[in-house]
Amino acid sequence: LHRLIRRQRQMCIRDSSYAKPKLKFAVECSGGTYIRSLAFEMGKTLGVGAHLSSLRRLSIGGWRISDAFGMDFLNSADRKNVLARLIKVSEMPEI
């Protein structure tokens, strides 16, 4: 199995921590970056096996997970309040 890796000009790896055998880190990168391939290549470079045990996207374009509605809000708010906070598809920015 051959993996294609796109070379990116900018990538920021931050918030790293290591508790054997897991390395945890956050990556800020441009579109088209293959994070699973990054983990594989890191393991290859270090001479050990590596894979992702989890992957979570925190943002894309101007959208941030921190701006998302939580289930508590959706379960407790009345329908009118939820609808007032929604963005019409026609008003959404392009990604």
Side-chain angles (χ1 to χ4, degrees), residues 22-92:
K22 292 187 177 186
L23 172 65
K24 184 177 181 179
F25 59 92
V27 177
E28 189 173 328
C29 57
S30 59
T33 302
Y34 298 101
I35 302 301
R36 288 181 181 88
S37 294
L38 173 64
F40 175 83
E41 290 298 322
M42 288 170 76
K44 184 176 172 183
T45 300
L46 295 170
V48 299
H51 68 277
L52 296 180
S53 60
S54 66
L55 176 62
R56 183 175 183 211
R57 183 183 302 260
L58 300 177
S59 67
I60 182 169
W63 302 98
R64 308 257 178 267
I65 195 75
S66 58
D67 297 329
F69 296 137
M71 289 306 296
D72 290 339
F73 170 78
L74 293 174
N75 288 328
S76 65
D78 62 50
R79 179 178 168 81
K80 187 176 181 179
N81 193 8
V82 172
L83 291 175
R85 294 176 178 226
L86 294 179
I87 300 170
K88 294 178 183 176
V89 173
S90 61
E91 296 172 359
M92 296 173 90

